[in-house]
Amino acid sequence: MKLLNLSLLIHLCSLLLVSTQPTDQPPFSCDSTDPLTESYNFCKTTLPINRRVEDLVSRLTLDEKISQLVSTATAIPRLGIPGYEWWSEALHGVAFVANISQGIRFNGTIRSATSFPQVILAAASFDPDPRWGRGQETPGEDPLVTGKYAVSFVRGIQGDSFEGGKLGESLQVSACCKHFTAYDLDNWKGINRFVFDANVTLQDLADTYQPPFQSCIEKGKASGVMCAYNRINGVPNCADYNLLSKTARGQWGFNGYITSDCDAVSIIYDEQGYVKEPEDAVADVLTAGMDLDCGEYLKNYTGSAIEKKKVAVSDIDRALHNLFSIRMRLGLFNGNPAKQPFGNIGSDQVCSQEHLNLALEAARNGIVLLKNDNRLLPLAKTEITSLAVIGPNANSSETLVGNYAGPPCNPVTPLQGLQSYVKNINYHPGCNTVNCSSDLTDEAMKINDQNIGSIIWAGYPGEAGGRALAEIIFGDHNPGGRLPITWYPQNLTKIPMTDMRMRPEPSSGYPGRTYRFYQGPKVFEFGYGLSYTNYSYEFLPLTKDKVYLNNQSSDKIALGYKSVSEMGTELCEKSKLPVTVRVQNNGEMDGKHAVLLFVRQAKTGNERPIKQLVGFNNVDLKAGENAEIKFELSPCEHLSSAEGDGQIVVDEGSHFLSIGDKESEITVVFSEDTSDAATSKLMILPRILIFFYIYSFIPMHIVLK
């Protein structure tokens, strides 16, 4: 079957130290054996980075400055500065980067890297401690999950603590949130990602697309952002001053560099026709706040843009300040890298057993059991003597790791994983490709049972995915993953991919998108997932079941809503309250269980979400064991939604917390003050979006014989 999944994305990449250098340039900056190093303030680690960067930029000629504005920054030998390749990939393991002369490659002593599950499967674990990011290509459709995933990923990879707040100037790696923003499609009926103009309402921007990027920057302290190819309401992302400078830097306090997607600057002129000449494209992106061109457009046209007085040198200096600040935070101007904290990482620390075990654990925790009629699974290891395994992906190591991947250390396909349990396996690909366009299906059906009793969704589980899948099928691991997406029926593919609306429109038959707004049939719901055991839930009594958002204790509820901005930070902080849920494993098998806390309003409609996730966590429970899971409910964040003009508001009245089939009521109370000030509209927030991705899944059939 073909599955259409429009889901939120935070794209994450990492900048890694250059692994190879041409022999005609310095091996590293600020070499202590070079007598000139002592005269360079940019090499003095005792000085603040701002002063070091100012000194470096002041020494550059205009041509040298321009050469640093592109992803393959050339060397500056007279200052002892080697070339630098900004483009590297680390979605779920260090990956290839093609067509570059320097950067990450696997043709030396290190020829592979641990391949973790793609984000779509890692997110299905609903574990707030992810290990890798970017995706295939999304942590799911929910803005809370996406934001939390981004924050944990960025903190971990950059060297911060899990809780945050311990990251100083130094970076062990620089994490980049992308693609900023509303990067919704690749190619749909002749409309491609390069020319797509995403029309998005302020309401959807404010409570769906905006929050994950904001979390990535404000809470995660990401040091990089990539602007996407497409336009937002007519304006190219990389040329949008409101998006890059006012929102990311101004409102969210972003402190880092902003790069284009590769060749995104060129398409502003070449394909979108947004400007009259190449120099206008250069001027627009630099004045908007972009710093780095993944490509060569700025290298080719910045000089002429200056000559035509379309670009000021001060805009270039600002960009260089942001770029060299990152390189200095990474320690690339601190002298010999072998003497730095991460300078002696050897091949024994790549593909280590610790990393391989972690990849296996991540795959186990993300795989989702969707159907298990008559408890067909797990299979009895002592009774099964033969299996039929059908599907083109059953023996494909490439499919395991998904896209943007490097060579895995020791990939185990599903077929290989099953062969470790059952020796007599009859395998047939069924189709040449997943779209089943060949005639091999009839041959495969001769060895396949029509009555499918169990379905497992494994996403792209990484190099250990085949082993994890086999362990689940034969009961050595209890599945606990949950779908991070809504599984729509086939007929949803009739809805144009260019339609960005979240909210439904009953008059036209548009059903909306994602579990928060979609009004239509579902194959499987967001958060759905079965286990080999049964769990029950119980809300412990709340410390208070009424939240007063007026600094007064009054049982009289005012009509309407209040804007979060109007209530202020102090009141929002004071209104937070703990929510505790007791989870019981009632079955006979130990398991790791994802606990998802939702909230819904008593009255739906008014373009409010049907329900929305406000918290999630994981708990390991032995058979018969129970545990208490604590959440913090923030009414200003978790009970809020967006008005049509984009302002975030909290509605008065009853809200219901829910986990499984259990609910607990909490009431929001306002004062009697219904003046204009209490319901005034705030200034419309600048436009911010985040990217959507189409995800298709073809199940692999495993038949018991």
Side-chain angles (χ1 to χ4, degrees):
M1 68 178 179
K2 181 179 180 182
L3 173 68
L4 174 65
N5 167 34
L6 298 179
S7 49
L8 278 167
L9 170 71
I10 281 286
H11 251 178
L12 299 161
C13 68
S14 63
L15 302 177
L16 306 177
L17 298 185
V18 173
S19 61
T20 58
Q21 290 286 358
T23 58
D24 60 344
Q25 61 176 280
F28 52 86
S29 298
C30 300
D31 187 350
S32 60
T33 64
D34 184 347
L36 292 177
T37 295
E38 290 188 4
S39 66
Y40 298 148
N41 280 342
F42 66 81
C43 289
K44 295 179 180 178
T45 58
T46 57
L47 294 177
I49 283 182
N50 278 345
R51 285 188 58 189
R52 296 174 67 191
V53 171
E54 288 174 1
D55 177 70
L56 173 54
V57 173
S58 71
R59 296 173 184 271
L60 301 179
T61 67
L62 180 58
D63 287 343
E64 288 171 341
K65 289 179 178 181
I66 293 173
S67 74
Q68 302 300 301
L69 296 175
V70 292
S71 52
T72 303
T74 59
I76 309 174
R78 71 180 184 86
L79 296 177
I81 300 174
Y84 185 72
E85 178 55 55
W86 286 88
W87 183 13
S88 60
E89 301 283 358
L91 324 185
H92 51 109
V94 179
F96 286 111
V97 177
N99 301 321
I100 59 174
S101 61
Q102 54 196 22
I104 302 300
R105 290 184 283 186
F106 293 92
N107 57 357
T109 57
I110 297 175
R111 294 184 174 273
S112 58
T114 307
S115 179
F116 292 86
Q118 283 279 37
V119 173
I120 191 64
L121 188 77
S125 71
F126 283 88
D127 187 328
D129 185 16
R131 299 289 174 168
W132 287 99
R134 196 180 194 265
Q136 188 98 354
E137 287 204 9
T138 163
E141 68 187 36
D142 180 77
L144 177 77
V145 175
T146 304
K148 283 184 175 293
Y149 193 101
V151 169
S152 294
F153 175 85
V154 170
R155 285 175 177 172
I157 201 168
Q158 291 194 157
D160 203 349
S161 65
F162 179 77
E163 298 80 12
K166 293 186 178 180
L167 183 68
E169 280 194 333
S170 296
L171 294 169
Q172 64 181 17
V173 173
S174 173
C176 172
C177 302
K178 61 180 188 179
H179 304 84
F180 201 39
T181 200
Y183 190 58
D184 186 53
L185 82 170
D186 185 22
N187 195 331
W188 183 82
K189 295 188 176 181
I191 300 175
N192 63 45
R193 57 183 174 162
F194 305 118
V195 299
F196 178 49
D197 187 3
N199 293 307
V200 189
T201 67
L202 294 173
Q203 189 174 31
D204 286 340
L205 288 174
D207 70 358
T208 297
Y209 303 110
Q210 175 182 2
F213 270 121
Q214 186 173 2
S215 294
C216 190
I217 291 172
E218 286 187 339
K219 298 178 181 179
K221 305 300 181 184
S223 52
V225 166
M226 175 183 281
C227 49
Y229 293 115
N230 58 290
R231 290 169 285 173
I232 304 299
N233 299 326
V235 182
N237 282 303
C238 293
D240 192 338
Y241 179 82
N242 285 329
L243 181 69
L244 305 185
S245 293
K246 282 192 174 181
T247 301
R249 295 197 188 276
Q251 294 183 12
W252 299 344
F254 175 60
N255 178 26
Y257 76 101
I258 299 176
T259 178
S260 75
D261 203 340
C262 294
D263 296 322
V265 180
S266 67
I267 69 168
I268 292 175
Y269 169 72
D270 294 336
E271 299 195 36
Q272 295 176 355
Y274 183 75
V275 294
K276 295 181 178 180
E277 59 182 8
E279 289 81 3
D280 290 328
V282 170
D284 282 0
V285 299
L286 286 175
T287 56
M290 195 196 81
D291 305 307
L292 184 73
D293 173 19
C294 182
E296 295 191 340
Y297 214 69
L298 291 191
K299 182 178 179 180
N300 295 335
Y301 293 104
T302 300
S304 55
I306 292 174
E307 292 175 357
K308 295 181 178 182
K309 302 188 183 305
K310 294 178 181 291
V311 170
V313 176
S314 59
D315 290 323
I316 298 174
D317 289 348
R318 180 222 69 230
L320 294 177
H321 188 280
N322 293 330
L323 295 173
F324 280 113
S325 291
I326 295 298
R327 291 172 66 174
M328 288 188 182
R329 292 179 69 188
L330 286 166
L332 299 180
F333 286 82
N334 291 355
N336 190 343
K339 297 180 180 180
Q340 304 307 316
F342 305 103
N344 292 302
I345 296 176
S347 58
D348 60 325
Q349 294 170 276
V350 179
C351 293
S352 67
Q353 193 59 51
E354 180 184 5
H355 296 168
L356 298 177
N357 292 343
L358 185 60
L360 174 61
E361 184 67 15
R364 288 169 176 160
N365 293 339
I367 292 175
V368 183
L369 179 62
L370 294 175
K371 181 181 180 182
N372 196 25
D373 290 351
N374 301 317
R375 301 183 71 88
L376 174 63
L377 296 178
L379 301 180
K381 287 177 280 189
T382 58
E383 299 177 6
I384 301 302
T385 59
S386 65
L387 287 176
V389 178
I390 301 169
N393 291 333
N395 200 32
S396 169
S397 59
E398 290 81 7
T399 302
L400 280 177
V401 299
N403 64 2
Y404 287 94
C409 307
N410 184 28
V412 178
T413 68
L415 178 62
Q416 292 169 335
L418 292 168
Q419 286 172 335
S420 67
Y421 286 89
V422 179
K423 301 305 179 186
N424 183 16
I425 290 184
N426 192 359
Y427 169 65
H428 195 284
C431 312
N432 286 331
T433 58
V434 292
N435 63 6
C436 291
S437 59
S438 71
D439 296 328
L440 296 177
T441 306
D442 291 340
E443 183 178 347
M445 291 303 294
K446 295 177 182 178
I447 55 174
N448 189 4
D449 191 333
Q450 294 295 302
N451 299 314
I452 305 299
S454 297
I455 299 175
I456 294 175
W457 178 78
Y460 300 88
E463 67 175 70
R467 178 179 170 184
L469 185 62
E471 289 179 350
I472 288 173
I473 290 172
F474 282 95
D476 284 336
H477 183 78
N478 189 354
R482 292 172 176 248
L483 286 179
I485 56 173
T486 299
W487 200 308
Y488 300 105
Q490 176 72 16
N491 61 10
L492 196 74
T493 59
K494 298 177 182 178
I495 296 176
M497 281 291 300
T498 51
D499 196 327
M500 301 289 290
R501 292 175 295 168
M502 290 287 107
R503 270 82 176 169
E505 187 180 68
S507 62
S508 66
Y510 179 69
R513 299 193 192 276
T514 81
Y515 80 95
R516 297 166 65 229
F517 302 104
Y518 174 70
Q519 296 178 350
K522 310 175 188 71
V523 180
F524 296 108
E525 292 198 12
F526 171 90
Y528 179 80
L530 301 176
S531 170
Y532 294 152
T533 190
N534 298 309
Y535 298 94
S536 61
Y537 311 98
E538 177 189 2
F539 278 101
L540 299 189
L542 296 172
T543 56
K544 56 182 179 180
D545 59 5
K546 290 184 179 179
V547 176
Y548 295 92
L549 296 179
N550 62 341
N551 289 325
Q552 300 177 18
S553 295
S554 171
D555 289 332
K556 195 164 186 179
I557 301 175
L559 299 176
Y561 55 80
K562 280 191 174 182
S563 73
V564 172
S565 296
E566 180 183 84
M567 287 184 282
T569 302
E570 183 178 356
L571 178 57
C572 286
E573 286 294 319
K574 287 182 178 179
S575 68
K576 292 180 179 179
L577 70 154
V579 176
T580 305
V581 179
R582 182 177 291 122
V583 184
Q584 173 85 32
N585 183 345
N586 300 310
E588 299 178 352
M589 190 173 184
D590 301 349
K592 184 173 184 178
H593 186 57
V595 183
L596 277 56
L597 177 65
F598 292 90
V599 68
R600 68 172 180 86
Q601 292 190 24
K603 296 181 181 179
T604 59
N606 197 29
E607 298 189 326
R608 299 295 192 250
I610 300 169
K611 66 175 182 178
Q612 59 187 10
L613 188 69
V614 297
F616 61 93
N617 216 323
N618 257 262
V619 59
D620 289 291
L621 291 176
K622 297 184 181 300
E625 188 178 22
N626 69 71
E628 294 182 359
I629 307 299
K630 299 184 184 296
F631 299 93
E632 182 180 66
L633 184 73
S634 172
C636 291
E637 177 184 359
H638 298 141
L639 304 184
S640 62
S641 58
E643 280 286 280
D645 61 4
Q647 69 169 318
I648 302 297
V649 302
V650 177
D651 289 310
E652 54 84 18
S654 294
H655 300 251
F656 291 89
L657 303 174
S658 66
I659 292 184
D661 59 351
K662 303 297 183 181
E663 287 195 333
S664 180
E665 184 177 5
I666 186 169
T667 304
V668 173
V669 180
F670 297 152
S671 70
E672 295 184 29
D673 179 12
T674 58
S675 64
D676 291 340
T679 57
S680 64
K681 306 291 185 179
L682 297 185
M683 182 180 296
I684 296 174
L685 298 178
R687 297 186 290 272
I688 309 121
L689 297 184
I690 199 167
F691 157 74
F692 277 95
Y693 182 74
I694 307 174
Y695 178 73
S696 300
F697 171 64
I698 302 296
M700 178 187 72
H701 300 289
I702 299 174
V703 183
L704 174 65
K705 297 182 70 178

